[in-house]
Amino acid sequence: MTLSPACIANVLNGIGEPKNSSGNHIPAGVLVLLFDKNGEYWVILNRRTQKVEHHKGEICFPGGRKDSLDKDLTETALRETWEEMGISPDSISVLGVLGKTETTTGYQITPTVGLISYPYEFNIQNDEVEEIIEMPLSTLFSDDSRRDEAKILEGEVIMQPAFHYENNMIFGATARILNSFAFLIDSRNLKEPV
């Protein structure tokens, strides 16, 4: 079966509403932004600049903390993507929402999955975004790209996914979100929409 926007939306709508956390994490929304290039889906990531307050130089999705005027975390993700990359919310087809991910820095991230047409002209905010990285989704299923990193959290060793693409290492919450998304879109788990 071929991966399609309808198929992705069907899978995302089947996971239900993301559950709230029990802690005092700050709500944030990110956009897992996809595009179709020559019949293959790619995902857009950002490398953060050294000027930002948190996660300097790390690879992440466009997004940020919820603003009091945002009606929900999808709106947060769309607004932040517009501010960081110059991608108009009107040019993004929202396909659905993934489960929440918490960070050790106190954020609870709700990822929204969206689709844009390719090619797209970006207008990046140079204070926040150093570089745009376009990565084929096939990277998520490649044994050559996937790594497991050991992290010590509250005295326990926890294994977490990481991905290596070209000269980029994707780890932390971004890698966990990509890993969750990969599981959902794995052809062995997909069912054609009715």
Side-chain angles (χ1 to χ4, degrees), residues 5 13-14 17 35 62 65 75 100 103 120 125 128 134 138-139 150 158 175 178 190:
N13 292 328
E17 279 296 309
F35 63 92
R65 71 171 60 197
E75 189 169 294
K100 296 177 189 277
T103 70
Y120 194 91
Q125 168 44 264
E128 290 189 56
E134 298 175 348
S138 59
T139 302
I158 296 172
L178 285 170
L190 290 176

Side-chain angles (χ1 to χ4, degrees), residues 93-115:
S93 299
V94 173
L95 302 177
V97 177
L98 289 166
K100 296 177 189 277
T101 298
E102 292 182 352
T103 70
T104 55
T105 53
Y107 288 91
Q108 182 186 63
I109 302 169
T110 299
T112 296
V113 180
L115 183 70

Side-chain angles (χ1 to χ4, degrees), residues 4-18 29-34 72-75 77-78 92-100 109-115 177 181 184-185:
S4 68
C7 191
I8 295 170
N10 185 52
V11 170
L12 292 172
N13 292 328
I15 64 175
E17 279 296 309
V30 299
L31 191 62
V32 180
L33 193 55
L34 307 175
D72 58 27
L73 289 162
T74 293
E75 189 169 294
L78 293 170
I92 300 169
S93 299
V94 173
L95 302 177
V97 177
L98 289 166
K100 296 177 189 277
I109 302 169
T110 299
T112 296
V113 180
L115 183 70
I177 291 166
F181 185 58
L184 287 173
I185 63 168

Side-chain angles (χ1 to χ4, degrees), residues 164-184:
H164 183 264
Y165 176 66
E166 294 184 341
N167 293 321
N168 304 296
M169 185 57 76
I170 302 150
F171 58 91
T174 302
R176 292 194 310 273
I177 291 166
L178 285 170
N179 192 57
S180 295
F181 185 58
F183 177 80
L184 287 173

